[in-house]
Amino acid sequence: MHGPASPGWLLVALCAASGAYCLLRMRSPVEEQRRSAGAEALMGFGMAAMAVPAAAATPPRWAWFAYAAVFAAAALRTLWSVRSSPHHLHHLVGACAMVYMAAAMATSPGHHEHGGGSGIPLVTGALLVYFIAYVLRSGARLLPVAAVAGDSGTLGGTPRTLGWGDRPELSQACRLSMGIAMLAMLVTL
Protein backbone atom coordinates (compact mmCIF):
# COMPACT_ATOMS: atom_id res chain seq x y z
CA MET A 1 0.00 0.00 0.00
CA HIS A 2 2.25 3.09 -0.37
CA GLY A 3 5.68 1.56 -0.71
CA PRO A 4 7.93 2.05 -3.77
CA ALA A 5 6.14 3.27 -6.89
CA SER A 6 6.93 0.45 -9.37
CA PRO A 7 5.62 -2.43 -7.22
CA GLY A 8 2.69 -0.23 -6.26
CA TRP A 9 1.66 0.26 -9.89
CA LEU A 10 2.09 -3.46 -10.56
CA LEU A 11 -0.20 -4.15 -7.62
CA VAL A 12 -2.74 -1.66 -8.98
CA ALA A 13 -2.63 -3.37 -12.40
CA LEU A 14 -2.97 -6.86 -10.89
CA CYS A 15 -5.92 -5.88 -8.71
CA ALA A 16 -7.67 -3.95 -11.49
CA ALA A 17 -7.22 -6.88 -13.91
CA SER A 18 -8.61 -9.27 -11.30
CA GLY A 19 -11.57 -6.96 -10.71
CA ALA A 20 -12.21 -6.71 -14.46
CA TYR A 21 -12.15 -10.49 -14.84
CA CYS A 22 -14.57 -10.79 -11.93
CA LEU A 23 -16.93 -8.43 -13.75
CA LEU A 24 -16.73 -10.77 -16.73
CA ARG A 25 -17.58 -13.70 -14.43
CA MET A 26 -20.74 -11.88 -13.37
CA ARG A 27 -22.25 -12.85 -16.74
CA SER A 28 -22.31 -16.52 -15.69
CA PRO A 29 -25.66 -18.32 -15.77
CA VAL A 30 -24.93 -19.71 -12.27
CA GLU A 31 -26.38 -17.37 -9.63
CA GLU A 32 -23.91 -18.31 -6.86
CA GLN A 33 -20.98 -17.64 -9.19
CA ARG A 34 -22.41 -14.22 -10.11
CA ARG A 35 -22.81 -13.28 -6.44
CA SER A 36 -19.29 -14.44 -5.61
CA ALA A 37 -17.86 -12.66 -8.65
CA GLY A 38 -19.53 -9.40 -7.63
CA ALA A 39 -17.95 -9.50 -4.19
CA GLU A 40 -14.57 -10.32 -5.71
CA ALA A 41 -14.87 -7.51 -8.28
CA LEU A 42 -15.54 -5.00 -5.49
CA MET A 43 -12.51 -6.37 -3.63
CA GLY A 44 -10.27 -6.19 -6.71
CA PHE A 45 -11.18 -2.62 -7.62
CA GLY A 46 -11.05 -1.51 -3.98
CA MET A 47 -7.60 -3.00 -3.57
CA ALA A 48 -6.47 -1.32 -6.80
CA ALA A 49 -7.66 2.05 -5.52
CA MET A 50 -5.97 1.57 -2.15
CA ALA A 51 -2.70 0.43 -3.74
CA VAL A 52 -2.10 3.56 -5.82
CA PRO A 53 1.39 4.77 -4.80
CA ALA A 54 1.39 7.82 -2.53
CA ALA A 55 3.85 9.54 -4.89
CA ALA A 56 1.14 9.55 -7.57
CA ALA A 57 -1.86 10.49 -5.45
CA THR A 58 -2.33 10.82 -1.73
CA PRO A 59 -6.02 10.51 -0.93
CA PRO A 60 -7.47 12.88 1.65
CA ARG A 61 -8.16 11.43 5.08
CA TRP A 62 -11.91 11.27 4.44
CA ALA A 63 -11.30 8.91 1.48
CA TRP A 64 -9.91 6.28 3.86
CA PHE A 65 -13.06 6.60 5.96
CA ALA A 66 -15.12 6.19 2.79
CA TYR A 67 -13.18 3.01 1.89
CA ALA A 68 -13.79 1.72 5.42
CA ALA A 69 -17.52 2.45 5.14
CA VAL A 70 -17.87 0.77 1.74
CA PHE A 71 -16.10 -2.37 2.89
CA ALA A 72 -17.94 -2.40 6.22
CA ALA A 73 -21.19 -2.44 4.22
CA ALA A 74 -19.76 -5.23 2.04
CA ALA A 75 -18.79 -7.16 5.19
CA LEU A 76 -22.33 -6.85 6.57
CA ARG A 77 -23.82 -8.03 3.28
CA THR A 78 -21.36 -10.92 3.18
CA LEU A 79 -22.18 -11.84 6.76
CA TRP A 80 -25.76 -12.34 5.61
CA SER A 81 -24.56 -14.57 2.72
CA VAL A 82 -22.41 -16.74 5.00
CA ARG A 83 -25.60 -18.42 6.20
CA SER A 84 -26.06 -20.14 2.84
CA SER A 85 -22.48 -20.74 1.75
CA PRO A 86 -19.31 -21.13 3.82
CA HIS A 87 -17.30 -19.94 0.77
CA HIS A 88 -18.39 -16.44 1.71
CA LEU A 89 -16.37 -16.63 4.94
CA HIS A 90 -13.30 -15.78 2.88
CA HIS A 91 -15.10 -12.76 1.41
CA LEU A 92 -16.01 -11.72 4.95
CA VAL A 93 -12.38 -11.94 6.10
CA GLY A 94 -11.27 -10.01 3.00
CA ALA A 95 -13.82 -7.25 3.53
CA CYS A 96 -12.88 -6.98 7.21
CA ALA A 97 -9.19 -6.81 6.22
CA MET A 98 -10.00 -3.94 3.86
CA VAL A 99 -11.89 -2.11 6.63
CA TYR A 100 -8.92 -2.64 8.95
CA MET A 101 -6.38 -1.36 6.42
CA ALA A 102 -8.50 1.68 5.52
CA ALA A 103 -9.05 2.50 9.19
CA ALA A 104 -5.31 2.14 9.87
CA MET A 105 -4.52 4.53 7.02
CA ALA A 106 -7.18 7.01 8.17
CA THR A 107 -5.85 7.12 11.71
CA SER A 108 -2.20 7.63 10.70
CA PRO A 109 -2.10 10.53 8.23
CA GLY A 110 1.73 10.76 8.33
CA HIS A 111 2.07 7.10 7.24
CA HIS A 112 1.96 7.99 3.54
CA GLU A 113 5.24 9.83 3.53
CA HIS A 114 7.23 8.05 6.21
CA GLY A 115 6.17 4.41 6.08
CA GLY A 116 6.13 2.33 9.20
CA GLY A 117 3.60 0.39 11.17
CA SER A 118 0.21 1.99 11.44
CA GLY A 119 -1.81 -1.13 12.16
CA ILE A 120 -2.20 -3.21 15.30
CA PRO A 121 0.58 -5.84 15.08
CA LEU A 122 -1.57 -8.68 16.45
CA VAL A 123 -4.39 -8.04 13.96
CA THR A 124 -1.98 -7.54 11.08
CA GLY A 125 -0.17 -10.76 12.03
CA ALA A 126 -3.42 -12.75 12.22
CA LEU A 127 -4.49 -11.45 8.80
CA LEU A 128 -1.05 -12.26 7.37
CA VAL A 129 -1.27 -15.84 8.68
CA TYR A 130 -4.78 -16.24 7.22
CA PHE A 131 -3.82 -14.89 3.80
CA ILE A 132 -0.59 -16.91 3.67
CA ALA A 133 -2.61 -20.07 4.31
CA TYR A 134 -5.20 -18.98 1.74
CA VAL A 135 -2.56 -18.27 -0.92
CA LEU A 136 -0.82 -21.60 -0.32
CA ARG A 137 -4.14 -23.46 -0.49
CA SER A 138 -5.24 -21.58 -3.61
CA GLY A 139 -1.89 -22.19 -5.29
CA ALA A 140 -2.07 -25.89 -4.52
CA ARG A 141 -5.55 -26.06 -6.07
CA LEU A 142 -4.10 -24.76 -9.35
CA LEU A 143 -1.60 -27.61 -9.61
CA PRO A 144 -2.46 -29.99 -12.44
CA VAL A 145 -4.16 -33.23 -11.43
CA ALA A 146 -5.03 -36.32 -13.42
CA ALA A 147 -8.21 -35.90 -15.45
CA VAL A 148 -11.28 -37.46 -13.93
CA ALA A 149 -12.40 -40.49 -15.95
CA GLY A 150 -15.51 -39.80 -17.96
CA ASP A 151 -15.41 -36.00 -17.59
CA SER A 152 -15.42 -34.74 -21.15
CA GLY A 153 -16.82 -31.30 -20.46
CA THR A 154 -20.39 -32.21 -21.34
CA LEU A 155 -23.62 -30.72 -20.20
CA GLY A 156 -26.55 -33.13 -20.45
CA GLY A 157 -24.63 -35.37 -22.87
CA THR A 158 -23.79 -32.57 -25.30
CA PRO A 159 -20.37 -30.97 -25.46
CA ARG A 160 -20.22 -27.48 -24.05
CA THR A 161 -17.83 -24.63 -24.52
CA LEU A 162 -16.83 -22.81 -21.38
CA GLY A 163 -16.88 -19.05 -21.65
CA TRP A 164 -14.10 -16.95 -20.16
CA GLY A 165 -16.26 -16.22 -17.14
CA ASP A 166 -16.96 -19.90 -16.43
CA ARG A 167 -13.40 -21.23 -16.36
CA PRO A 168 -12.74 -22.53 -12.82
CA GLU A 169 -8.96 -22.36 -13.19
CA LEU A 170 -9.14 -18.69 -14.18
CA SER A 171 -11.38 -17.78 -11.27
CA GLN A 172 -9.02 -19.66 -8.93
CA ALA A 173 -6.02 -17.80 -10.42
CA CYS A 174 -7.91 -14.54 -9.89
CA ARG A 175 -8.51 -15.41 -6.22
CA LEU A 176 -4.86 -16.38 -5.84
CA SER A 177 -3.75 -13.06 -7.35
CA MET A 178 -5.97 -11.08 -5.00
CA GLY A 179 -4.73 -13.11 -2.03
CA ILE A 180 -1.13 -12.32 -2.96
CA ALA A 181 -2.05 -8.65 -3.41
CA MET A 182 -3.70 -8.62 0.02
CA LEU A 183 -0.51 -10.05 1.52
CA ALA A 184 1.55 -7.33 -0.17
CA MET A 185 -0.77 -4.64 1.17
CA LEU A 186 -0.74 -6.06 4.70
CA VAL A 187 3.06 -6.34 4.74
CA THR A 188 3.44 -2.65 3.89
CA LEU A 189 0.83 -1.56 6.46
Side-chain angles (χ1 to χ4, degrees):
M1 249 169 53
H2 303 300
S6 294
W9 285 116
L10 290 173
L11 191 59
V12 169
L14 175 71
C15 293
S18 294
Y21 176 70
C22 291
L23 285 179
L24 181 63
R25 284 182 37 228
M26 289 181 69
R27 295 180 11 186
S28 172
V30 181
E31 180 183 350
E32 180 61 27
Q33 184 169 322
R34 285 192 310 267
R35 185 177 302 128
S36 181
E40 291 167 2
L42 175 65
M43 185 70 65
F45 289 125
M47 289 170 61
M50 288 177 71
V52 172
T58 302
R61 190 167 184 215
W62 63 263
W64 295 112
F65 288 115
Y67 288 142
V70 166
F71 283 102
L76 288 174
R77 184 179 185 287
T78 303
L79 186 60
W80 184 258
S81 300
V82 166
R83 297 175 309 116
S84 62
S85 174
H87 168 72
H88 293 289
L89 280 172
H90 171 68
H91 294 150
L92 180 61
V93 172
C96 289
M98 294 293 282
V99 170
Y100 168 69
M101 288 188 295
M105 296 303 289
T107 58
S108 64
H111 176 72
H112 307 298
E113 292 84 15
H114 306 297
S118 61
I120 301 167
L122 185 61
V123 176
T124 303
L127 288 170
L128 283 169
V129 168
Y130 173 81
F131 281 103
I132 287 170
Y134 181 79
V135 164
L136 291 174
R137 182 175 166 262
S138 296
R141 293 177 80 190
L142 281 173
L143 294 174
V145 294
V148 177
D151 182 22
S152 60
T154 62
L155 180 62
T158 59
R160 67 179 178 143
T161 304
L162 291 176
W164 282 103
D166 293 320
R167 310 247 346 165
E169 68 278 7
L170 289 177
S171 61
Q172 190 63 34
C174 177
R175 290 182 190 113
L176 175 63
S177 298
M178 287 197 297
I180 292 169
M182 185 68 79
L183 275 172
M185 292 172 75
L186 284 166
V187 165
T188 62
L189 185 61

